[in-house]
Amino acid sequence: MSGAVASTVTFREALREGLRAAMAADERVFLMGEDVGRYGGSFGVSRGLLDEFGPQRIRDAPLSESAFVGAGVGAALGGMRPIVEIMTVNFSLLALDQIVNTAASLSHMSGGQFHVPLVIRMTTGAGRQLAAQHSHSLECWYAHVPGLRVLAPATIDDARWMLAGALADPDPVVIFEHGSLYAREGEPPGPGPVDLAHAEVRRAGSDVTLIAYCNGVRIALAAAETLAGEGISAEVLDLRVLRPLDADAILASVERTHRCVVVDEGWRSVGLAAEVSALIMEGAFYDLDAPVARVCSAEVPMPYAKHLEDAALPQPERVVSAVRGLGLGPR
Amino acid sequence: MKAMRMPSLGADMTAGTLLEWHVEPGDRVRRGDIVATVDTSKAEIEIETFDGGVIDEILVEPGTKVPVGTEIARIREAESEAAEAARATPPPPAGENAAPAQPPLTGESAAPTRSPSLAEPSPSAAAAPAPSPHVHRVRVSPLARRIAAERGVDVAAVTGTGPGDTITRADVERAAQAAFAAAPAQAPPPALAEHRPAADRHASLRAAIGALMARSKREIPHYHVAQVVDMSAARTWLDAYNAARPPRERLLLAVLLLKAAALATHDVPEINGTFDNGVFAPADGVHLGVAVSLRGGGVIAPAIHDADGLSLTDLMQALRELTGRVRRGVLRSSDVEGGSITVTSLGDQGVDAVYGVIFPPQVGLVGFGRVAERPWAAGGMVGARPTVIASLAADHRVSDGHRGGLYLASIDRHLQEPEQL
Amino acid sequence: MTAADREQRLHLLSEMLRIRRLEERCIELYSSAEIRGFMHVYIGEEGVAVGALQALTPDDNVVATYREHGHALVRGIPARSIMAEMLGRMEGCSRGRGGSMHLFDAGTRFFGGNAIVAGGLPLAVGLALAEHFRREGRVTVCFFGEGAIAEGEFHESMNLAALWQLPVLFLCENNLYAMGTALERSESQTDLPLKAASYEVPAWSVDGMDVEAVQQSVRRAIEMIRGGGGPCFLEARTYRFRAHSMYDPDLYRGKDEIAAWRERDPIDSFVARLRTDGDLDDPALGLIEAAVAEELDDAVAFARAGTLEPVEQLARFLYTEAVP
């Protein structure tokens, strides 16, 4: 491909370019995780990087989530800028102690003496028939923890540039990459940087706000397109940052549209959509013309059979339906 | 037992439609409490009781149109304090069992303190200052409720079209637009509780105003006098006054004009009063009607009572409140009753002078045009000064041009000494 | 035995006494409710921390557990800071945020103070990993109890450290009881160095009640590690004379057993040895005790006079305030 500029890139390629650029720019940066080196990354994100940066900096780890995430914390304390890749959020449960009790707590607990400039990347989400133990969307668990910053790139630009911002953050950052987005193609990323604080309106609208993150953004956009055909103008807000949530952007949108549907692949009970809904109730109650609706995954461990999985996950049709349930559109 | 009757809320009102009761039998009321909303031909007006006591019986159902003077409710005397107390909620026991300021368990209004030992609520809410309306459980979105409050729309009368019959913003806005429609003055059809579409009401309002003005022209021999008044002193004084104050304390020029018009009636009292059955009755005070144009066309002239005694600040406040109530379509009966002279100011519209039509049974209508720079000769010199043309339309049966002229001269004098207003 | 040696030995004694008296004060303050929450005292185990920390330089890293008052003191955190921290004062080493279980000090590279059993091991591995990249000459010593060996994190950390040949000393303070659970009820294989050796890590045991033996062993291990020999595992056999924590009724140990171990009190036996060797007499001991008492009196007074962090600052340091 020498000299030729690709007309589109994949989400995966954008992530890889972000990794490569970060490693080239700062010697302290290294990548550690299962199969990140020789295998090229279980989702192919780090393919080719071992050859470029060597086994010290593209470091294959044994299946010891707790140890290598904790080691990431220690290495960060020791002056490095580690990027720890936990293969999926499903396996991150084994490292929760190190993430919550050490990484997130250390600064506050030590009275500000130690900060942990650690970046953790995890793949998340369902939709590829990987069944119950490989299909979780536990972003809300991490968004719940003070001391962490939680990012959710949904676009090529964010895939390319969020990592740089995360590495510059002196405190722990968790980045969720939705498994269904890796292969999606789009225009090559623009110039960075991107901020790590704001949500972004991906489609402007006036009748209802659709709030989403990661794969949900794609679903919300599809729903908005369908709704436009029915004369309903839906605004799509990409959260981008799950902790801290951009309350200003959320409220500003709902204050204009007066109706809201939150799309969240996590389970409905006690989830991220519940937090967004509470936020809207607190800040924009007197601007609501209908209750906030939530479109979430069904309250079941994710089944293997395709039709069951499809039924369990948020889909554009369910979002359209939810919008109609707010009193918009044909009756 | 006292009778409450359908009040007359305008010179042309012959009947009114009882839209909604805000009290029910057993409620305790004081003189001045709002008890119902009535639809006159021009607006929805909250009517008050002039008697205190306990509502004994409601005689007219919502939606019914009855002639002015018809008995609509009966009020009985309040029992003695002791008797009331005996029937009222016993005071909550002190100590652990007391439940102070418990929030209402349901949507109904709660007594101020609620004893946990009470088996059922007392028939009359002890010491409730104003009887709270019984709101049936209507689902209203927060946005709709907010807009309803801003526009003065009663949500209980709105039909909801949202999911589950929820009242939404769109429903409230529809109702707000329909709020200014009026029933035709002659041969009214059977009264309906629901609001008519906006176009119908607008036409009815026009018809009602037309009837009133026609009657005025027909019955009252009008004469007109006018005078150009030098406003430079008033303008200068006002600018200085306003410059020294924050915006919310500033005065409009119109307030000076109103005060001057009110005070000038002291010099020519036969401009201030009513003419009825061939007899002029001077008013007991200067109750200044202020002509306010309605959105969608038409004009209404609610009164500021005892305007001559109000300070400029108070007059400004009264004017602001009155205009607000008119715009929201929520006038009180005291607003539209008892005007003794009316002022109309079309300065905003840019006319130089107003030659108006008197609102019967009044005998005078004062007009002010716009304040404009006009050539002025004083002391042998010609210059430009801010001036306004003050005019008077008056009932020739009660006064003549000479007296009318004196009245305008008095207004002029008052406006030359604005600090005395 | 040179004068320098004698000085060094008296120093060891003094350090152990500082810990012992500090812990005794803490017990008093806890009983009077000035110290709250969970508190785990090190009485009986002083020989291990004192012996081990003598072998380190200020550039090395120390990771410890919730039974870390002694380690913190001997590592160099002032008694005032420790005491103020225990009393929840802003002048404490963790700003009053941590209490007994979370003593931290960046200046002495003391990385806590960890309340999760085995939680510090991956952290220590990470610090050693940083050294692997940065070559700053640092060794990381990770103190943990034998209870941690049951946790997966121990095995993962041993494996990772050995795999990557990281400069970390895993120092297991085996006091035979993980809270109320005796070792033989917790481990199928109670030979701890054997377990460690299965990870291809040099491992041996030392008598934790003998401060000089500990010192010697740790020096040897550190030398190996600094020489590039990868991680080491050291089991220090010791015993805590008091219960696991202030809440523990200590029903799982026999009185006889405790009495037998008390015979081997690291301070008493070292004092006896010093007297025998002519390195210590009563006046000298008296001087040491007096100095320790004075230091602790001062520390307690300082702590009691300390300030409480304003509540408005509750959220400070959740994230870094200034970019380093």
Side-chain angles (χ1 to χ4, degrees), chain A residues 258-259 285-290 324-327 331, chain B residues 141-144 146 161-163 166-170:
Chain A
H258 308 296
R259 291 177 186 79
F285 181 77
Y286 297 100
D287 293 295
L288 285 174
D289 213 16
R324 292 211 194 99
L326 300 178
R331 293 166 212 269
Chain B
S141 87
L143 181 63
R146 171 162 72 85
T161 61
T166 303
I167 294 173
T168 64
R169 173 182 64 162

Side-chain angles (χ1 to χ4, degrees), chain B residues 70-289:
Chain B
T70 308
E71 219 178 304
I72 56 176
R74 292 212 184 99
I75 299 174
R76 67 166 181 272
E77 293 247 313
E79 298 164 33
S80 67
E81 292 275 333
E84 283 277 50
R87 273 202 297 159
T89 314
E96 290 172 52
N97 291 333
Q102 278 212 40
L105 297 171
T106 60
E108 295 87 33
S109 56
T113 55
R114 209 175 168 79
S115 164
S117 63
L118 200 57
E120 58 192 57
S122 63
S124 63
S132 34
H134 261 240
V135 180
H136 54 283
R137 265 297 186 200
V138 174
R139 282 159 59 129
V140 188
S141 87
L143 181 63
R145 197 180 284 281
R146 171 162 72 85
I147 291 177
E150 286 167 5
R151 302 272 192 92
V153 173
D154 182 4
V155 292
V158 176
T159 308
T161 61
D165 293 331
T166 303
I167 294 173
T168 64
R169 173 182 64 162
D171 299 324
V172 167
E173 285 179 343
R174 265 195 293 277
Q177 283 196 353
F180 280 109
Q186 308 92 347
L192 301 164
E194 77 214 4
H195 299 258
R196 294 193 207 86
D200 275 2
R201 293 203 65 134
H202 182 65
S204 301
L205 179 62
R206 275 245 153 273
I209 294 171
L212 187 67
M213 295 294 102
R215 174 182 150 202
S216 175
K217 274 291 184 179
R218 199 169 51 240
E219 295 175 5
I220 303 178
H222 282 59
Y223 72 90
H224 299 274
V225 283
Q227 177 152 342
V228 184
V229 177
D230 176 4
M231 291 297 288
S232 47
R235 182 49 82 62
T236 306
W237 178 86
L238 185 65
D239 287 345
Y241 181 95
N242 282 342
R245 282 164 181 74
R248 68 176 183 283
E249 287 177 30
R250 292 180 187 159
L251 302 173
L252 292 175
L253 193 72
V255 173
L256 301 182
L257 302 176
L258 292 177
K259 188 72 186 287
L263 289 174
T265 63
H266 294 170
D267 291 325
V268 187
E270 58 266 44
I271 300 296
N272 184 49
T274 55
F275 191 89
D276 232 342
N277 282 334
V279 175
F280 171 67
D284 58 358
V286 185
H287 308 310
L288 201 64

